[in-house]
Every structure is written in C-alpha cells, then in structure tokens.
Amino acid sequence: MSDSSDEELIGGDGAEKWVLYRDRDEWNDVTPLSQDDGPNPIVAIAYSEKFKDSYDYFRAILKSGEKSERALGLTEDCIWLNPANYTVWQFRREILKALGKDLKEELKYIDKIIKYNSKNYQVWYHRKVIIEWLQDASEELEFTKAILKKDAKNYHAWQHRQWCIKTFNLYDQELEYVEQLLNEDVRNNSAWNQRYFVISNTTKFESNVINKEVDFALEKISLVKGNESAWNYLRGILMHDSAGLTHNDKVRKKCVELYEAGYRTNHLLACIIDICQNSCINDESPESIFHINNALKLCKELSENHDKIRERYWNYIGHQLLQKLETVS
C-alpha cells in the first residue's frame, strides 16, 4: 500500500497517525529482528521506515511464536503494507485460532482488504480458509457479485465463487446470474465459462440439455457473429454429443446462413473447416460450403487475410485436408 506520508493512518482508515513500533511503549519488551539479506545483497530494496520497522517486529514475534492481541494488530499493519506476504497471513490465521476470535468479524476485515486488493491471491485464499472454518458461505455469492460488478473478469473472484458453489451446493440461481451478465456483455468469456461450469456440474449432458445449450449459444452468436466465447462454448457443449459438431443440423444451418450472408469471421470459418475435417468427403456435394475444396479455400483465406497471426496453423490444417483428399482420390 501507499507509504508516502507520515500522516497516513494505521490500517488505512484508523483514527491515529502511524506510530513506529519502536516508539510504542507496549512493544518495549520485544527486540526487533532485521531482515537478513546477506553481506552483499545484489539489489537491496529501499524499504520505507514504516515497512522496515513493522516487519522487523513481525519477524521477532514470528520467531518467538507470540499469539496475542497485539500480534494480531501487528499482522494488520504488515498486511496493509504488503497484502501479498503469505507468511503474515498464515501467522494471522494461527493467531485467530489460538485466540478463538470471531470469524465473522474476520470476514468484515477481509472485506476491506479485498476492496483494495481484489486481484491478490493471498487475500482470497485467506477468505477461503475462513469460510472453510465457518462452514458458511451464505454471504459469498453476494460478496463476489459485488466484486464482479466492478470487474466482471476478476479471476480470483470467479475462482472463489466456483469453489463456494461446488463446496456448498449453491447452484440454484447461478444460471440466472450468468444470463444477466451475458445480457450486459455477450463477450464476457468469464460468464460463458461459468455457464459451462454450472451445466457440467448439474447435468450429465443429456440430449435435451445439449439442445437447449446449442440453441442458447446460436442465439448469442446471432447477436455478435464474431464472438469467440460463444463459438467456443458451442464447441465445448457439442463435445458431449455423440453426433458432434459435424452432424448437428442446427449448427450446419447457422453456418450456411451466416456464410451466405457474407460473414467471414474467424470463428465461423474455423467451424466450417472443422465440420469438413470430421466428415466423409463423399457426404458433401461440390456446391456445399462443407465440401473439402471450400475448406481448403477457407484455410488459405484465414492464413492470408482473416487470421494472419496463425498463418502457420491454417497452412498446417490445409495440408491435412489435402492429405485427406489424396487418400480417397
């Protein structure tokens, strides 16, 4: 955290100015322990006076194993100065257990820390441990929802949300939440991933589920033809269909519709090529967009125009298609 002024408040929102630990009477009995970087550190870090002072005292109580109220307060200051320090968090958890602290109050504390450090692994791991100890995730969906409202693709928030849902069986209203997110931003790949997470953990991909999800994905593709997330979701769902991507009439029909309308998005063309790759050459008429000759043409278009960054990949796929053609010639 910022350490730019002596006027900065302890913990970021306290009522007193920061007082160095060496100047606090209640810490006179502790001998601070300096960090040992060796005699000739290659790159010596220019720690602030606050940081060095706080962590010198933290190392001292860590060494002595002191688990007290003042030690707990010291961990708060150290976390405020560096919320990514695993050792401080771990020792804080040991102190919480030793003192039998109110874990609901600890959640309020971590609410504040995550507010300022929402992409820090250690703060989310600490929250997970506290929820495990409490065996109560009743507030977690709303909490992560608030975080995701500010950053809809926060990986740590999504990871924590999925863990809570799976551990405490909180699937009931998750699809509705995901649909809300996709209505707000149909390109939200995290929301698409969450939809797959829910479907894969609540169904066995029965035919009616697959049909419903294919319809859902195709509807969203109609809104934004080049939406990679929706195309990837479609592929993921059809992996669980014995007919696969190749023989799904709805997908084939949508591909024809978009292709004949003049759309040439990477994902549409890739889908057409995939259908051709996995179908028998003789199954398609020469006029079909799924004929191998058209797929060869699309590989060339992708490598030269639409997806040049993956030129070598599309050339490789084109070579595979040629080999397939030669095999039956």
Side-chain angles (χ1 to χ4, degrees):
M1 301 302 296
S2 173
D3 186 45
S4 59
S5 169
D6 287 340
E7 299 299 315
E8 184 178 349
L9 303 175
I10 296 176
D13 58 359
E16 301 175 3
K17 289 191 294 185
W18 190 286
V19 178
L20 295 174
Y21 277 83
R22 65 171 179 258
D23 296 328
R24 302 184 192 188
D25 292 340
E26 67 273 24
W27 285 89
N28 284 342
D29 60 314
V30 176
T31 301
L33 183 60
S34 297
Q35 178 170 308
D36 183 5
D37 289 330
N40 300 298
I42 296 174
V43 181
I45 299 174
Y47 295 114
S48 70
E49 188 177 26
K50 291 176 191 175
F51 190 99
K52 185 178 183 302
D53 174 74
S54 300
Y55 273 87
D56 285 354
Y57 277 84
F58 173 74
R59 276 184 288 273
I61 64 155
L62 180 66
K63 184 176 181 180
S64 69
E66 177 183 328
K67 298 179 178 67
S68 62
E69 289 291 345
R70 71 174 183 177
L72 189 65
L74 174 57
T75 64
E76 285 192 30
D77 288 345
C78 289
I79 285 167
W80 187 253
L81 290 165
N82 179 14
N85 190 305
Y86 169 82
T87 304
V88 178
W89 283 111
Q90 176 61 31
F91 194 59
R92 180 176 180 84
R93 287 190 286 273
E94 293 177 16
I95 297 172
L96 290 171
K97 269 195 170 182
L99 299 183
K101 301 296 289 184
D102 183 348
L103 298 180
K104 288 288 186 180
E105 289 300 313
E106 184 66 9
L107 279 184
K108 292 178 183 178
Y109 165 71
I110 198 67
D111 283 357
K112 178 181 70 173
I113 300 299
I114 288 179
K115 177 182 176 182
Y116 293 102
N117 302 275
S118 65
K119 293 187 177 180
N120 182 311
Y121 172 78
Q122 297 301 341
V123 300
W124 284 101
Y125 180 76
H126 184 71
R127 188 176 188 94
K128 175 178 178 288
V129 172
I130 299 303
I131 295 300
E132 284 180 324
W133 289 353
L134 284 168
Q135 282 298 295
D136 178 8
S138 57
E139 299 177 4
E140 296 310 283
L141 296 190
E142 282 302 311
F143 176 76
T144 52
K145 185 177 179 180
I147 300 296
L148 293 169
K149 190 171 184 179
K150 297 178 181 178
D151 178 3
K153 299 182 180 182
N154 184 314
Y155 169 78
H156 300 288
W158 278 117
Q159 185 182 49
H160 183 73
R161 188 179 183 91
Q162 286 191 354
W163 174 78
C164 289
I165 289 172
K166 193 167 186 177
T167 303
F168 298 95
N169 195 26
L170 303 175
Y171 293 98
D172 285 353
Q173 298 179 0
E174 192 63 7
L175 280 184
E176 288 86 344
Y177 173 60
V178 169
E179 289 191 29
Q180 175 191 329
L181 291 180
L182 290 175
N183 286 335
E184 294 171 0
D185 177 11
V186 73
R187 293 183 175 87
N188 185 338
N189 58 297
S190 298
W192 282 104
N193 179 69
Q194 186 73 351
R195 187 175 183 91
Y196 188 85
F197 166 79
V198 174
I199 296 297
S200 63
N201 282 284
T202 57
T203 76
K204 295 182 179 179
F205 290 100
E206 299 87 350
S207 59
N208 64 313
V209 173
I210 291 174
N211 287 332
K212 178 184 176 183
E213 293 308 301
V214 167
D215 288 342
F216 182 85
L218 291 177
E219 177 189 350
K220 298 304 182 185
I221 287 171
S222 294
L223 295 176
V224 182
K225 280 67 175 181
N227 181 4
E228 182 177 6
S229 297
W231 283 103
N232 285 342
Y233 183 79
L234 179 65
R235 290 166 180 269
I237 291 296
L238 287 174
M239 285 175 58
H240 300 277
D241 186 358
S242 58
L245 181 70
T246 303
H247 302 293
N248 188 286
D249 290 338
K250 293 177 182 178
V251 176
R252 290 171 68 96
K253 182 179 178 181
K254 176 60 70 174
C255 287
V256 171
E257 173 193 323
L258 295 176
Y259 189 79
E260 291 184 348
Y263 291 101
R264 295 295 184 270
T265 68
N266 298 0
H267 316 297
L268 167 63
L269 300 187
C271 187
I272 293 172
I273 292 169
D274 280 352
I275 291 174
C276 179
Q277 273 189 303
N278 295 295
S279 61
C280 296
I281 293 176
N282 296 330
D283 287 348
E284 308 293 342
S285 67
E287 294 79 22
S288 170
I289 68 168
F290 303 111
H291 192 273
I292 193 167
N293 288 333
N294 188 55
L296 284 167
K297 184 182 75 171
L298 295 184
C299 284
K300 185 175 177 62
E301 288 183 17
L302 282 163
S303 68
E304 294 181 355
N305 301 309
H306 307 301
D307 195 14
K308 294 176 71 174
I309 195 169
R310 295 199 296 168
E311 176 185 357
R312 294 178 64 183
Y313 171 77
W314 291 118
N315 288 337
Y316 170 74
I317 297 299
H319 180 67
Q320 283 191 322
L321 289 169
L322 273 175
Q323 287 183 319
K324 181 176 181 178
L325 186 61
E326 291 169 357
T327 301
V328 297
S329 297

